[in-house]
Amino acid sequence: MPVTVRALPTATLSVGPESPVHTGETAVVILQPDKQTFRGETVTLRCQIQGERDTDWEYSWYKKSSSLSPVSKDQEYTISPVNESHSGEYTCRGKLKRDSQNSEMSDAVTLTVSSGEFMSPPASLIISPNTTQRFTSDSLSLSCEVQSNSTGWTVRRYTDNGEVSDCSSDWGSVTGSTCSISSLQSSDSGVYWCQSDSGGNSNPLNITVTNGDVILESPVHPVTEGDTLTLHCRYRHDSSDIRADFYKDGLVLQNQTTGEMTIPTVSKSDEGLYWCKHPERGESPKSWITVTVTVRGEIKASHSLPRLLCSLLVVSPYLLVTIVIGVKCWRAGAQSHEDKRQYAVKET
């Protein structure tokens, strides 16, 4: 159930035996988030008073039908984790520090907490080996990891030639909800996802298969802000790292490294298009690395956007290609048309 925010008549709240002197300013409650609140999330209520600096006031928060004592005396009242018992009507007011005059009590704001929780995708696509780039003739395993009933889930793909198909004998073998490709070909490059008989979708993942001699090993799934990111540059005929230059968005990050590059603490600015290059053996394809931030809204977007893209993949793959090319053109106008077409989906 979403949070309902509505203005009510000014609450009559007894806060003591004395009759306070009012300044004339009225307090206003700002509720964040103001759309949906589920059990286990964080809610912040802010008491805003016009006409004075925030530091000039002392604040008091009250919850209707509870104790007459304030539930908080901070300008921002944060509840974490929130549960159903926190549902109710909240008001606030301020008191000037210099002369103890009170503001008018704010209108009440209603907080409603749902017993449900934010819905993540019902399934996840697990890829082994866990890297976005593979050599031709390599093997690949794709599995649907499902939260509840694993039956009825199929691995699907959208390839660069514009075809949407299920895992079958044409390009893979199926065992339960796992699809195996014994010998990859360049034509296996594309976007892969899990889909159920009822229409549920997992997060889509992009796989690039190259007949070149160099690949960049980067994570298939988005990297969370604050985590460590390690990239490897691999040569087809040697399993160890090769000395190489690492690039991001056309700029050199490291010269002639040992073939490994590590970012100890990832931030949103590290998101971009990466590849590596050896002076003699050539360069790898390019891979888009997405960074999910720890802000509440951003994390939710990372769940909902893939579900939308999967739906577009199923309904109209050509529409999806048009959309992602437009996004990539906006975000990386300096990249070539080929880069935009091939790697824009990685932003999901």
Side-chain angles (χ1 to χ4, degrees):
M1 179 190 295
V3 170
T4 302
V5 181
R6 55 191 177 89
L8 300 178
T10 304
T12 301
L13 198 63
S14 174
V15 294
E18 70 279 2
S19 298
V21 178
H22 295 284
T23 63
E25 286 88 357
T26 300
V28 176
V29 176
I30 301 173
L31 176 64
Q32 293 291 336
D34 61 355
K35 297 296 184 183
Q36 291 180 312
T37 300
F38 298 94
R39 182 178 57 202
E41 294 187 320
T42 298
V43 171
T44 299
L45 299 99
R46 180 180 176 85
C47 192
Q48 193 71 44
I49 304 173
Q50 301 296 325
E52 300 284 346
R53 295 177 301 177
D54 293 341
T55 54
D56 292 339
W57 297 93
E58 295 177 349
Y59 300 89
S60 297
W61 285 96
Y62 302 92
K63 182 181 179 184
K64 191 174 180 180
S65 301
S66 64
S67 170
L68 296 179
S69 300
V71 294
S72 175
K73 292 189 176 182
D74 297 320
Q75 184 181 19
E76 289 191 351
Y77 176 33
T78 300
I79 309 172
S80 180
V82 73
N83 58 52
E84 294 87 336
S85 67
H86 294 117
S87 297
E89 295 181 359
Y90 290 84
T91 59
C92 74
R93 75 176 183 187
K95 182 172 70 174
L96 283 172
K97 295 177 181 179
R98 63 176 181 266
D99 56 15
S100 298
Q101 290 192 69
N102 292 282
S103 71
E104 299 289 342
M105 189 71 72
S106 72
D107 289 344
V109 166
T110 301
L111 170 64
T112 303
V113 181
S114 169
S115 59
E117 298 185 2
F118 183 80
M119 296 300 294
S120 60
S124 297
L125 177 60
I126 307 300
I127 293 180
S128 179
N130 183 28
T131 179
T132 58
Q133 298 181 15
R134 302 301 301 165
F135 292 117
T136 52
S137 300
D138 284 352
S139 61
L140 183 66
S141 174
L142 307 102
S143 302
C144 297
E145 187 176 89
V146 185
Q147 295 178 1
S148 54
N149 185 7
S150 61
T151 60
W153 286 87
T154 303
V155 176
R156 307 195 78 194
R157 75 177 186 183
Y158 170 74
T159 55
D160 288 348
N161 60 11
E163 294 181 356
V164 177
S165 59
D166 296 344
C167 182
S168 63
S169 57
D170 292 338
W171 53 271
S173 59
V174 182
T175 304
S177 57
T178 299
C179 176
S180 300
I181 306 175
S182 58
S183 181
L184 289 164
Q185 304 298 321
S186 297
S187 58
D188 292 316
S189 296
V191 180
Y192 291 75
W193 74 98
C194 296
Q195 184 170 323
S196 68
D197 294 339
S198 60
N201 296 301
S202 73
N203 49 310
L205 300 176
N206 191 287
I207 299 297
T208 300
V209 182
T210 178
N211 56 10
D213 290 331
V214 179
I215 62 171
L216 175 71
E217 290 190 347
S218 60
V220 174
H221 296 279
V223 183
T224 303
E225 187 180 45
D227 286 355
T228 299
L229 172 64
T230 301
L231 305 175
H232 295 272
C233 200
R234 300 290 195 200
Y235 178 50
R236 178 185 289 272
H237 304 294
D238 187 352
S239 60
S240 61
D241 295 339
I242 61 173
R243 296 183 65 83
D245 300 333
F246 284 85
Y247 294 81
K248 173 182 178 287
D249 298 333
L251 302 177
V252 178
L253 293 179
Q254 289 188 11
N255 289 103
Q256 289 297 301
T257 67
T258 58
E260 178 182 294
M261 189 189 79
T262 300
I263 303 176
T265 306
V266 172
S267 66
K268 189 66 176 176
S269 63
D270 294 314
E271 186 174 86
L273 200 63
Y274 288 77
W275 69 95
C276 63
K277 182 179 181 180
H278 187 274
E280 298 174 0
R281 296 170 179 172
E283 69 178 40
S284 71
K286 299 174 177 64
S287 286
W288 182 270
I289 294 178
T290 298
V291 178
T292 56
V293 298
T294 53
V295 177
R296 175 180 176 274
E298 293 288 338
I299 292 176
K300 288 193 173 183
S302 70
H303 290 305
S304 58
L305 181 58
R307 296 169 73 178
L308 172 61
L309 291 178
C310 281
S311 300
L312 288 174
L313 277 165
V314 177
V315 176
S316 178
Y318 296 104
L319 175 60
L320 173 65
V321 171
T322 301
I323 292 174
V324 296
I325 287 177
V327 172
K328 191 59 185 174
C329 288
W330 174 68
R331 299 225 23 197
Q335 298 297 329
S336 68
H337 175 75
E338 177 64 17
D339 286 343
K340 296 169 188 172
R341 182 193 64 79
Q342 187 172 359
Y343 302 105
V345 181
K346 293 180 178 62
E347 291 190 273
T348 61

